[in-house]
Amino acid sequence: MSVMVVLGGGGHSFEMLKILEKLSLKNDVIYVLNHDDYYTCIKNNGRRVYRLIRPRRSFEYGVKTFFRFILSFLNALILLIWTRPKIILTNGPSISVPLTIIGWVLRTRIIFIESICRVYRLSLSGRLLLPLTSLFIVQWPYLKKYSSKIIYAGRIF
Amino acid sequence: MKVFVTVGTSSFDSLFRRVDEILNSRIEMEAIGQIGTGRYKPNNFSKIFRFTKNIRKYYEWADFVISHGGAGTIYDILRFNKKAIVIPNRMAVEEHQVELVTELHKLGYIMKGDLERLPEQIELCLKYEFKPYTVNPGGRIYSTINEYIRSITG
């Protein structure tokens, strides 16, 4: 039984690695990185690390984005069928959108931990993916107003 | 007066341009810059670099810090208990740096900065008594996730 951990680069990776440090995961872990992430530091030895085409670059719109979006979904579908994780752990980078939607269709449980940066408003991916999650954790109490399913459980720092 | 300017894995050229400009008129100020993926290379800094494995060294060297509003950088500022002017990068996705900086400014741990007002904020920052931050052990996040995973895997 395996857990897929989504590392979306920058602060997403920072927060997720910080959480992983303290989780006592005894499961097989599958890491997913952005296809163009050169900065997230995880040691490759014996670990299952995959890369996924991101659905959107920060400031890119139009036809290119559309094709990238389709590619990203196909990429996520292949990866999930290939690895079949039981749980996906994410904090909402863009690659987690196709992974969560397709994962949900394949009956994978989704754990979403909203970023510490989101104090008063949920992120776009948080709002979008909330109905598909089995566990949704936020780090600031103000965010509980969005849904009764949201759990406030303190902060990572 | 020593300042460390840091932007994590992002780029924030307008911040480095602004600090570079300020350094022109303030000879008593010495700056080191961690420019991340930025394109602009400031001229008046005594040292610039993109990334380092030992960022602590620069925090310890500095009297205060000027930074972007990324979570990793804010974590370092708080755990090293450094005086800091933190400027949310408005170019970041969904302007996501604004909320955390605003909240921590309200609570008195950091100063929320602004490129326009940076020179006067530097004066304020040096005099300001920041509230010391106790890095919390993470509340119930880890136990909540662990319990949930255990409930599924049995």
Side-chain angles (χ1 to χ4, degrees), chain A residues 105-120:
Chain A
V105 173
L106 297 173
R107 306 216 172 281
T108 312
R109 309 292 181 103
I110 316 291
I111 303 178
F112 192 106
I113 307 129
E114 185 59 285
S115 161
I116 194 168
C117 297
R118 306 301 184 153
V119 183
Y120 317 116

Side-chain angles (χ1 to χ4, degrees), chain B residues 110-128:
Chain B
I110 58 172
M111 179 180 289
K112 181 181 176 181
D114 175 321
L115 290 181
E116 283 296 305
R117 296 180 48 223
L118 197 52
E120 41 180 297
Q121 284 176 331
I122 290 172
E123 302 302 327
L124 282 172
C125 173
L126 290 168
K127 280 181 230 146
Y128 192 79

Side-chain angles (χ1 to χ4, degrees), chain B residues 32 49 52 59 68 88 107 129:
Chain B
I32 293 182
F49 58 90
T52 172
Y59 276 93
H68 79 142
L107 297 170
E129 287 292 321

Side-chain angles (χ1 to χ4, degrees), chain A residues 1 3 10-11 14-15 18-19 22-25 27 39 41 56 58-59 86-87 89 109 111 113 116-125 127 134-135 137 139-140 142 151-157, chain B residues 9 37 51 53 69-75 78 90-104 106-107 133-146 148-150 152-153:
Chain A
M1 207 225 64
V3 177
F14 160 74
E15 289 195 40
K18 195 128 184 47
I19 289 165
K22 294 205 183 159
L23 282 188
S24 42
L25 279 187
N27 317 73
Y39 307 111
C41 299
R56 187 178 79 124
S58 294
F59 293 96
K86 183 114 184 169
I87 297 167
L89 198 62
R109 309 292 181 103
I111 303 178
I113 307 129
I116 194 168
C117 297
R118 306 301 184 153
V119 183
Y120 317 116
R121 293 190 64 219
L122 283 185
S123 61
L124 179 60
S125 45
R127 277 174 278 153
S134 327
L135 181 65
I137 294 175
Q139 303 190 47
W140 292 92
Y142 315 106
I151 297 172
Y152 163 65
R155 275 175 287 284
I156 55 166
F157 62 75
Chain B
T9 55
T37 54
F51 302 103
K53 286 209 180 319
T73 301
I74 292 177
Y75 172 65
L78 297 176
R90 303 272 166 179
M91 298 291 277
V93 180
E94 292 174 56
E95 292 203 342
H96 74 266
Q97 296 190 346
V98 177
E99 295 186 4
L100 182 60
V101 177
T102 305
E103 185 68 12
L104 293 175
K106 273 190 208 159
L107 297 170
Y133 190 86
T134 333
V135 174
N136 80 54
R140 289 171 292 107
I141 294 180
Y142 313 109
S143 57
T144 308
I145 298 172
N146 272 333
Y148 179 78
I149 292 178
R150 225 174 291 133
I152 289 175
T153 60

Side-chain angles (χ1 to χ4, degrees), chain A residues 3-153:
Chain A
V3 177
M4 177 178 278
V5 174
V6 185
L7 298 169
H12 285 293
S13 295
F14 160 74
E15 289 195 40
M16 190 51 87
L17 291 172
K18 195 128 184 47
I19 289 165
L20 281 183
E21 243 173 52
K22 294 205 183 159
L23 282 188
S24 42
L25 279 187
K26 291 180 187 74
N27 317 73
D28 193 8
V29 179
I30 303 158
Y31 294 92
V32 187
L33 298 172
N34 289 333
H35 71 281
D36 56 354
D37 181 354
Y38 311 112
Y39 307 111
T40 296
C41 299
I42 45 167
K43 291 182 195 87
N44 223 330
N45 43 2
R47 286 191 170 143
R48 297 165 76 189
V49 182
Y50 296 91
R51 287 178 180 270
L52 195 92
I53 297 167
R54 43 204 280 201
R56 187 178 79 124
R57 289 217 178 107
S58 294
F59 293 96
E60 185 185 78
Y61 297 95
V63 184
K64 249 178 139 181
T65 315
F66 178 75
F67 280 112
R68 190 186 287 282
F69 209 76
I70 302 288
L71 271 178
S72 183
F73 267 79
L74 284 173
N75 198 175
L77 178 67
I78 293 164
L79 182 60
L80 285 169
I81 287 175
W82 181 256
T83 56
R84 283 326 288 267
K86 183 114 184 169
I87 297 167
I88 296 175
L89 198 62
T90 180
N91 55 16
S94 70
I95 50 168
S96 71
V97 175
L99 285 171
T100 300
I101 293 172
I102 292 167
W104 178 76
V105 173
L106 297 173
R107 306 216 172 281
T108 312
R109 309 292 181 103
I110 316 291
I111 303 178
F112 192 106
I113 307 129
E114 185 59 285
S115 161
I116 194 168
C117 297
R118 306 301 184 153
V119 183
Y120 317 116
R121 293 190 64 219
L122 283 185
S123 61
L124 179 60
S125 45
R127 277 174 278 153
L128 205 66
L129 303 177
L130 177 63
L132 311 184
T133 58
S134 327
L135 181 65
F136 196 104
I137 294 175
V138 295
Q139 303 190 47
W140 292 92
Y142 315 106
L143 296 174
K144 283 199 298 190
K145 66 183 177 210
Y146 282 88
S147 156
S148 57
K149 120 186 213 186
I150 294 178
I151 297 172
Y152 163 65

